Amino acid sequence: MKYISLDFEYRSTNQAKLELVCGALEVGDVEGNPGKETITASEPKIFWLHKNKNTQEILKEYLLMIRDTHVLLAFNVDAEGRSLISLGLYPTKFMWVDIQAEWKMLTNHNDSLGYGTQLINGEPVKLYKSTYGGKTPLSLLACTSKLLRPVSSQEYTEKNKMRDLILGTTQFNDIEKGKISNYCVGDIQDLAPLYLAQLKHYYRLLNKTQFRQLHKEQLWRGETVARAALISSIGY
């Protein structure tokens, strides 16, 4: 499977289009037998988009070029789909795998992933089904900490600081641009490894017939969230 890991940073607005700040993508390929897949990936590409129509157009043309050959990997296709709309693209014309939607699927009625050690407010917390009344944390860092690697409280704090910087600033200096660009790249670098980690869990949970249908169902779920992005931005 040829893929592009994709993430946008933006300032929210009450309009159909978001105020895009930065975009990052990583082009790669998933190969190998079921349950033993590996990834190869290129160096990330960074696009500074804030009030830059020329760079927005370059990214738009690039995404159109790969639309029929690559699957877009994203964590929360609703947000990334709305970002595509802000570039003048229809998210439903692309193929998507929503890592967050797949995380929801894997943790639903699955105690081994839904409970145990989880990342809550930047700290690892042991959750027990018998006493915990909340939902499994569904953030990118929470998913990463459960499936891939430990996440430090500092990483959690820095992520919140960067989000506050993006939302609270109208003009960015060169230092801020560099920090935001690095932050945006950081958000895509775990997406393909998370996809592989999720595939391994599916491989253990599903029978062979179900696993063969998995990719088709993932694309269907991704399209469903992309349609939600379309509805929330511009309707039908």
Side-chain angles (χ1 to χ4, degrees), residues 128-147:
Y128 298 94
K129 184 176 181 179
S130 59
T131 57
Y132 181 65
K135 294 183 178 181
T136 302
L138 298 173
S139 70
L140 175 57
L141 288 184
C143 180
T144 300
S145 71
K146 190 68 174 179
L147 295 182

Side-chain angles (χ1 to χ4, degrees), residues 1-5 26-32 37-41 69-74 95-99 191-196 199 214-216 218-219:
M1 181 189 82
K2 296 183 183 300
Y3 72 86
I4 287 183
S5 296
E26 177 188 82
V27 183
D29 201 356
V30 176
E31 299 176 301
E37 296 89 349
T38 60
I39 55 175
T40 55
T69 57
H70 289 67
V71 173
L72 299 183
L73 293 182
M95 297 178 287
W96 296 90
V97 170
D98 189 335
I99 303 299
L191 293 181
L194 281 172
Y195 175 71
L196 285 195
L199 282 185
L214 175 63
H215 184 63
K216 179 180 179 181
Q218 288 180 317
L219 294 179

Side-chain angles (χ1 to χ4, degrees), residues 62-106:
Y62 182 83
L63 291 171
L64 284 172
M65 182 179 67
I66 56 81
R67 181 176 62 186
D68 298 326
T69 57
H70 289 67
V71 173
L72 299 183
L73 293 182
F75 196 89
N76 186 4
V77 169
D78 182 73
E80 310 314 326
R82 292 177 66 200
S83 297
L84 258 63
I85 291 169
S86 302
L87 286 174
L89 298 170
Y90 273 78
T92 51
K93 300 293 184 181
F94 292 79
M95 297 178 287
W96 296 90
V97 170
D98 189 335
I99 303 299
Q100 186 182 58
E102 300 308 313
W103 180 232
K104 292 177 181 178
M105 291 287 294
L106 283 167

Side-chain angles (χ1 to χ4, degrees), residues 185-200:
V185 169
D187 273 357
I188 64 171
Q189 290 181 323
D190 283 330
L191 293 181
L194 281 172
Y195 175 71
L196 285 195
Q198 291 179 340
L199 282 185
K200 287 179 171 58

Side-chain angles (χ1 to χ4, degrees), residues 210-222:
Q210 291 170 329
F211 192 82
R212 283 194 293 269
Q213 292 295 315
L214 175 63
H215 184 63
K216 179 180 179 181
E217 293 177 357
Q218 288 180 317
L219 294 179
W220 178 80
R221 285 191 285 270

